[in-house]
Amino acid sequence: MKTLIIIPTYNEKDNLRPLIGEIFRYAPATDVLIVDDHSPDGTGELAEELAREDARLHVLHRPGKLGLGTAYITGFKYALEHGYDAAFEMDADFSHDPRYLPDFLRLIEEADLVIGSRYIKGGATPNWPFLRRLISGGGNIFARTLLGLPVRDCTAGYRCYRREVLESIDLDSIRSRGYAFQVELVYRVWRQGFRIVETPIVFVDRRVGQSKMSKAIVFEGFLFVLRTRLGRKPQLPPPVRREAVLVGEISEKEEHERVPETSR
């Protein structure tokens, strides 16, 4: 399977070189796409330097800080245009540990979307302060309850999508950013009837640099869920014919029959 890891960057120069090294250590057959939003710290220039050293690395430059959601949409379109079978979302700050990549790659062979989940058995957020745990955990409960999503971690940003999923989504119709972007994507995938698997990850805050989380991002996620629940749903094509959704809380019998050992 030809896979692409999409990494949006803005001022991630100190993280980039070690991150790329770790990615290729755990997933040497993947390609990586850096989508840089004209980072003033020189991240884009470093990405170009690394790309000259390794043909598996590709770089796209954007004129300014245009947002996480649009960066991933740009990366998804690149993946479709260049014939990739699956595309990852991954942060540049090491909060998404590359050591989990082999698990994702095994699971995506049978699933349509694999989510690195902090909220199933084996997942954790060990160094988060209480307030962040409250916001993230509460936000996930809010989204799951109001939208009826059978996914424990709706806001997770460490994911892998099969090509067929991305082809089924009108990428240009997505307007969400941040938490809302992740919730909207999983909502669309679930409504389309695609198979979703959650695999546990330990999420650790960034090693270097400043967090890009903001009150506006959290509020946007709240508004998306509320508006969708009240009937202002995104326009979706007719559901595709797929097997039932798989999540981390499937029955023990189904888990042994349908999910590889590495995901448990």
Side-chain angles (χ1 to χ4, degrees), residues 14-60:
D14 292 336
N15 287 315
L16 193 58
R17 187 182 290 275
L19 177 65
I20 297 302
E22 286 292 284
I23 288 173
F24 289 146
R25 174 188 172 193
Y26 286 102
T30 62
D31 285 358
V32 174
L33 174 67
I34 302 299
V35 182
D36 185 66
D37 277 4
H38 197 63
S39 299
D41 72 344
T43 300
E45 289 80 1
L46 175 60
E48 289 288 355
E49 178 184 331
L50 296 175
R52 287 191 291 270
E53 298 172 2
D54 196 318
R56 295 171 293 181
L57 181 61
H58 312 277
V59 186
L60 291 178

Side-chain angles (χ1 to χ4, degrees), residues 20-162:
I20 297 302
E22 286 292 284
I23 288 173
F24 289 146
R25 174 188 172 193
Y26 286 102
T30 62
D31 285 358
V32 174
L33 174 67
I34 302 299
V35 182
D36 185 66
D37 277 4
H38 197 63
S39 299
D41 72 344
T43 300
E45 289 80 1
L46 175 60
E48 289 288 355
E49 178 184 331
L50 296 175
R52 287 191 291 270
E53 298 172 2
D54 196 318
R56 295 171 293 181
L57 181 61
H58 312 277
V59 186
L60 291 178
H61 299 277
R62 303 201 300 172
K65 196 173 182 181
L66 303 177
L68 184 70
T70 61
Y72 280 129
I73 290 170
T74 297
F76 293 156
K77 290 180 177 179
Y78 181 97
L80 294 175
E81 291 167 1
H82 291 80
Y84 288 94
D85 301 306
F88 281 81
E89 295 181 21
M90 187 177 189
D91 286 351
D93 60 8
F94 276 101
S95 56
H96 296 159
D97 196 321
R99 69 188 172 97
Y100 297 112
L101 288 172
D103 292 336
F104 278 87
L105 291 169
R106 282 191 289 270
L107 289 167
I108 200 63
E109 292 286 345
E110 297 184 3
D112 297 306
L113 167 60
V114 180
I115 296 175
S117 179
R118 301 158 292 184
Y119 300 122
I120 62 172
K121 185 177 181 181
T125 54
N127 63 342
W128 276 14
F130 173 77
L131 181 59
R132 186 167 182 186
R133 290 175 188 270
L134 181 65
I135 292 172
S136 178
N140 270 284
I141 293 171
F142 180 73
R144 291 200 312 267
T145 302
L146 266 67
L147 300 181
L149 291 169
V151 176
R152 296 289 299 177
D153 199 341
C154 307
T155 61
Y158 198 0
R159 302 181 174 189
C160 185
Y161 299 84
R162 288 186 74 97

